[in-house]
């Protein structure tokens, strides 16, 4: 489905129907209301075979762990949605990396915003202590932090895990990634999708703030081993961010074309400030639904089957139906078939 943002950076992941029901915002609503897709939604336009296979395995494991969830499905869309939601819940429960990541992100956000301090026996307490030590060793004393920073920019939106400003005034975007022990040991640098995400965040936040709050942000990735508590940090180089931005630019254009959302490209290529982004979003919001008109001349119908034509009157003949029961009859039909002259497209 993906996540969407309003042009002012407000999250719009769900919405209330006229009946008061809360539903997940889909691309249909986003296009209708002039919303911007998230960076992660745009990055996902490129299929990841390994991730796809992993997700299939997780779905199967979830169902096998609790086959009774299939009893909820009664052949209707409503019961399908309910069953799907239950399987997703099972997947979240079984995915330790996701659980740990969500817990750590929430604990860090609450800790930075001075809402709460995690209990000493929680996994989040251990990680926060190590992350705090790492930040102090890396950036020195006197830095300030801001957690879960949302934005919407020239064609996309997102929420940054953390921004850090040193006492000298240098700005960093910090992204947390949790992973398994095996992947943690092999991790030496951000993956391409991670650098494209960070590059989009940097460009987007700079655009969103008109250069006032974030002038020249740098990127810093903290990779967390969710099994033994290990932490690795990587300062992303400028050339890596440059390549990441090129990838993200291609992804956004592909997303806009694939989903028939040309306003995103307009914003990405032409919008100069937030006011222009707002105007483009409002135009989409206030415009009537776009209906595509397919030329009837480009379509021919044969036996209720739609076939594309290449502006020629020749069409394929219907297939030969063989109903013979003897080899001699089949041979005679094949011989007759070979003698036919057939015009093909």
């Amino acid at each position: 489905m993906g996540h969407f943002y309003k042009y002012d950076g407000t999250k719009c992941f769900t919405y209330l129907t006229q009946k008061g029901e809360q539903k997940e915002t889909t691309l249909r609503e986003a296009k209708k209301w002039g919303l911007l897709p998230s960076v992660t939604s745009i990055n996902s336009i490129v299929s990841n075979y390994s991730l796809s296979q992993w997700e299939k395995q997780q779905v199967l494991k979830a169902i096998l762990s609790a086959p009774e969830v299939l009893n909820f499905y009664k052949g209707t869309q409503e019961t399908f949605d309910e069953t799907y939601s239950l399987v997703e819940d099972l997947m979240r429960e079984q995915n330790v990396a996701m659980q740990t990541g969500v817990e750590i992100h929430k604990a860090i956000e609450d800790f930075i915003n001075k809402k709460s301090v995690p209990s000493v026996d929680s996994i989040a307490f251990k990680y926060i202590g190590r992350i705090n030590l790492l930040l102090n060793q890396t950036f020195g004393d006197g830095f300030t932090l801001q957690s879960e920073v949302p934005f919407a920019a020239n064609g996309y939106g997102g929420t940054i895990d953390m921004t850090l400003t040193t006492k000298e005034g240098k700005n960093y975007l910090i992204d947390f990634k949790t992973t398994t022990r095996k992947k943690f040991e092999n991790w030496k640098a951000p993956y391409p999708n991670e650098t494209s995400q960070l590059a989009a965040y940097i460009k987007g936040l700079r655009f969103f703030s008109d250069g006032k709050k974030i002038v020249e942000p740098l990127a810093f990735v903290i990779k967390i081993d969710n099994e033994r508590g290990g932490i690795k940090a990587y300062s992303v180089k400028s050339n890596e961010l440059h390549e990441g931005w090129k990838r993200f630019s291609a992804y956004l254009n592909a997303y806009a074309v694939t989903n028939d959302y040309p306003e995103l490209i307009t914003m990405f290529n032409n919008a100069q400030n937030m006011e222009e982004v707002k105007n483009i979003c409002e135009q989409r919001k206030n415009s009537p639904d776009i209906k595509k008109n397919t030329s009837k001349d480009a379509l021919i119908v044969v036996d209720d089957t739609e076939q594309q034509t290449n502006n020629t009157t020749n069409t394929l003949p219907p297939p030969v139906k063989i109903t013979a029961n003897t080899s001699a009859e089949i041979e005679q039909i094949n011989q007759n078939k070979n003698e036919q002259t057939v015009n093909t497209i």
Side-chain angles (χ1 to χ4, degrees):
M1 291 290 187
H3 286 158
F4 299 92
Y5 292 78
K6 296 180 181 180
Y7 69 85
D8 60 0
T10 305
K11 296 178 182 178
C12 192
F13 299 170
T14 60
Y15 69 98
L16 290 177
T17 65
Q18 292 181 345
K19 296 181 180 179
E21 300 173 339
Q22 187 170 3
K23 288 192 174 183
E24 184 177 358
T25 305
T26 67
L27 181 66
R28 179 180 178 180
E29 287 82 37
K31 293 170 67 174
K32 181 179 178 181
W33 298 333
L35 304 178
L36 305 181
S38 68
V39 170
T40 51
S41 298
I42 294 168
N43 272 346
S44 65
I45 195 70
V46 179
S47 176
N48 185 319
Y49 177 78
S50 298
L51 180 60
S52 176
Q53 293 300 106
W54 177 84
E55 288 177 338
K56 290 177 182 178
Q57 292 173 4
Q58 299 309 301
V59 170
L60 181 58
K61 287 179 181 179
I63 294 174
L64 292 177
S65 70
E68 63 273 12
V69 300
L70 298 178
N71 295 331
F72 284 92
Y73 180 60
K74 306 299 181 184
T76 65
Q77 184 63 44
E78 183 178 357
T79 56
F80 174 84
D81 293 340
E82 183 179 1
T83 306
Y84 185 84
S85 177
L86 291 170
V87 172
E88 281 190 319
D89 291 340
L90 286 170
M91 290 172 62
R92 278 191 288 270
E93 292 173 5
Q94 293 182 353
N95 190 344
V96 178
M98 184 179 294
Q99 279 182 286
T100 305
V102 171
E103 183 178 347
I104 291 173
H105 278 72
K106 185 65 171 63
I108 291 173
E109 179 184 359
D110 290 344
F111 182 74
I112 292 174
N113 296 331
K114 299 180 180 180
K115 290 183 179 179
S116 65
V117 177
S119 61
V120 293
D121 58 345
S122 69
I123 189 172
F125 184 87
K126 175 175 63 176
Y127 284 113
I128 284 180
R130 294 181 179 182
I131 290 170
N132 190 46
L133 177 63
L134 172 66
L135 295 179
N136 276 283
Q137 291 175 340
T138 305
F139 300 105
D141 296 328
F143 59 79
T144 57
L145 301 174
Q146 189 176 358
S147 181
E148 296 293 299
V149 182
F151 72 92
N154 46 336
Y156 59 92
T159 302
I160 300 163
D161 289 344
M162 182 188 294
T163 60
L164 181 149
T165 303
T166 66
K167 62 181 179 181
E168 293 81 18
K170 183 174 287 188
N171 299 290
Y172 287 85
L173 304 186
I174 298 180
D175 198 40
F176 296 101
K177 301 292 183 185
T178 55
T179 188
T180 61
R181 178 67 184 179
K182 183 177 180 180
K183 291 183 178 179
F184 176 82
E185 291 176 342
N186 295 328
W187 188 81
K188 297 179 180 178
Y191 301 119
N193 67 315
E194 292 175 346
T195 53
S196 63
Q197 178 183 4
L198 289 166
Y201 282 169
I202 288 175
K203 291 276 190 177
L205 193 56
R206 187 182 305 163
F207 181 99
F208 189 60
S209 61
D210 291 328
K212 296 175 182 177
K213 297 178 182 178
I214 302 292
V215 181
E216 279 299 329
L218 301 173
F220 200 75
V221 178
I222 296 180
K223 186 75 73 170
I224 299 172
D225 170 13
N226 60 31
E227 296 176 18
R228 299 185 186 177
I231 290 176
K232 290 181 180 179
Y234 187 93
S235 181
V236 186
K237 302 176 181 64
S238 59
N239 65 306
E240 293 171 321
L241 292 171
H242 179 72
E243 291 300 315
W245 178 248
K246 288 199 299 185
R247 280 192 299 271
F248 182 77
S249 300
Y251 297 165
L252 185 137
N253 279 270
Y255 182 96
V257 172
T258 302
N259 294 301
D260 189 27
Y261 207 165
E263 290 84 355
L264 299 181
I265 299 178
T266 303
M267 281 185 275
F268 189 67
N269 294 327
N270 301 325
Q272 300 298 315
N273 51 54
M274 279 302 300
E275 190 62 29
E276 291 189 13
V277 173
K278 174 183 177 181
N279 291 338
I280 296 172
C281 289
E282 290 296 324
Q283 287 172 13
R284 157 63 77 165
K285 184 177 179 180
N286 297 325
S287 65
D289 291 337
I290 301 173
K291 295 183 178 180
K292 290 190 171 298
N293 295 316
T294 303
S295 174
K296 295 181 180 179
D297 296 335
L299 196 67
I300 58 172
V301 179
V302 179
D303 296 332
D304 296 328
T305 301
E306 295 180 344
Q307 299 180 2
Q308 296 293 331
T309 181
N310 63 344
N311 298 325
T312 176
T313 57
N314 295 329
T315 59
L316 289 172
V320 176
K321 184 179 290 187
I322 299 177
T323 57
N325 296 319
T326 66
S327 299
E329 290 173 326
I330 294 175
E331 183 177 350
Q332 182 61 48
I333 290 174
N334 287 334
Q335 182 178 349
N336 294 339
K337 181 182 175 183
N338 292 333
E339 291 175 354
Q340 294 176 356
T341 301
V342 179
N343 293 321
T344 58
I345 294 178

